[in-house]
Amino acid sequence: MIKKIAIYGKGGIGKSTTVSNLSAALSLEGYRVMQIGCDPKADSTRNLTGGKSIPTVLDVLRGTKGPVRLDDLVHRGFNNVFCVEAGGPTPGIGCAGRGIIAAFEKLEELEAYETFEPDIVIYDVLGDVVCGGFAMPMREGYADEVAIVSSGEMMALYAAHNIAQAIKNFAGRSYATLSGIIMNRRNIENEEALVEQAAREIGTEVIGQVPRCGLVQEAEAMGKTVVECFPESDMGRIYRSLAVQLVGAKVSAVAS
């Protein structure tokens, strides 16, 4: 059984930083991890690939005249994390949401999951607008669970409410369920209380907290995650603890 988790959040909230650290942490726990970036900026996996951008699925589809191979789309990052970037349309032309749909369909067509056999797939999804394409990980049954990254800032909480509402719209259809909010602290006043209140309002809970820490920026300046650069730091341990909590016991036998 593949554990599939979609992590949503407002753009700029630190979602991709969180996701890449979780992927790195889970790989060190012995899991085969695939991270799929679903943001037109295509920067989800940069901290797993030494700060380098990988070709996106849409760029490959647009630029390849012959058959597309899985190796063109899936790239190995830190500790053999499988890295994929869906990509987006040419700026000003096309729909980013439909780009995600096209990327997912190509990965399915080429049997990416069957070929690489990941234990865990993490979708890193932009949550500012939960349109059909961006909702695809929860709507089409790609993910089992959704987690939301949010701070106590108004727009981040607004996005969290929208994402939660989208999940509720698909309740009862065997689609993804909401597992909780990961609070990525911005150190604003009453932040913990604000996020806790938002969690109650949308019927979920805060499942983890990520404090502000300068090690994050130090690691990213080197194109790496905290888990890779500073594995024994308090921040590294926080990411590893959150990663284990996020996947739960459902895949615990895989790493044993």
Side-chain angles (χ1 to χ4, degrees):
M1 291 287 292
I2 303 175
K3 176 78 170 183
K4 296 170 289 184
I5 305 168
I7 299 184
Y8 282 76
K10 177 187 176 297
I13 198 60
K15 172 179 46 63
S16 295
T17 296
T18 301
V19 171
S20 57
N21 273 282
L22 293 176
S23 292
L26 289 167
S27 75
L28 293 175
E29 292 294 323
Y31 297 108
R32 291 169 61 86
V33 182
M34 177 178 285
Q35 179 172 322
I36 302 178
C38 304
D39 187 321
K41 297 194 304 297
D43 59 356
S44 173
T45 59
R46 283 178 60 87
N47 292 332
L48 295 169
T49 58
K52 299 177 181 178
S53 297
I54 62 175
T56 72
V57 175
L58 291 187
D59 283 345
V60 172
L61 295 181
R62 284 192 292 256
T64 303
K65 295 182 179 180
V68 174
R69 303 173 304 164
L70 268 180
D71 287 344
D72 298 324
L73 310 179
V74 183
H75 304 265
R76 291 181 186 261
F78 169 73
N79 205 33
N80 286 320
V81 173
F82 301 113
C83 298
V84 180
E85 294 285 357
T90 301
I93 302 174
C95 168
R98 288 201 59 79
I100 293 171
I101 294 172
F104 278 28
E105 288 175 347
K106 178 56 68 171
L107 290 172
E108 281 198 327
E109 177 190 326
L110 296 178
E111 300 183 335
Y113 307 115
E114 293 83 356
T115 300
F116 293 105
E117 298 183 322
D119 303 315
I120 300 165
V121 177
I122 304 181
Y123 302 95
D124 176 4
V125 195
L126 183 67
D128 293 77
V129 179
V130 193
C131 69
F134 289 106
M136 192 169 181
M138 67 174 83
R139 180 172 56 87
E140 297 293 342
Y142 284 96
D144 308 306
E145 299 176 7
V146 171
I148 302 171
V149 177
S150 180
S151 67
E153 296 164 305
M154 182 181 67
M155 293 308 297
L157 294 174
Y158 179 76
H161 277 82
N162 284 343
I163 296 160
Q165 185 59 51
I167 296 168
K168 289 179 181 178
N169 289 341
F170 300 115
R173 305 187 198 177
S174 300
Y175 290 168
T177 57
L178 180 58
S179 60
I181 295 177
I182 299 170
M183 182 167 66
N184 193 32
R185 285 184 173 275
R186 294 295 178 90
N187 292 345
I188 67 171
E189 187 176 357
N190 298 323
E191 185 164 32
E192 186 168 352
L194 288 169
V195 177
E196 292 281 0
Q197 178 183 344
R200 289 193 298 270
E201 289 175 355
I202 63 179
T204 191
E205 60 183 352
V206 176
I207 57 175
Q209 296 188 25
V210 179
R212 287 188 71 83
C213 177
L215 293 181
V216 173
Q217 286 71 37
E218 288 186 41
E220 290 188 340
M222 295 181 277
K224 299 179 180 180
T225 62
V226 172
V227 171
E228 178 181 0
C229 281
F230 310 107
E232 300 305 319
S233 66
D234 288 343
M235 198 67 179
R237 286 190 286 271
I238 286 170
Y239 281 125
R240 293 187 72 158
S241 176
L242 177 59
V244 171
Q245 178 183 350
L246 192 64
V247 300
K250 294 182 180 179
V251 291
S252 59
V254 176
S256 62

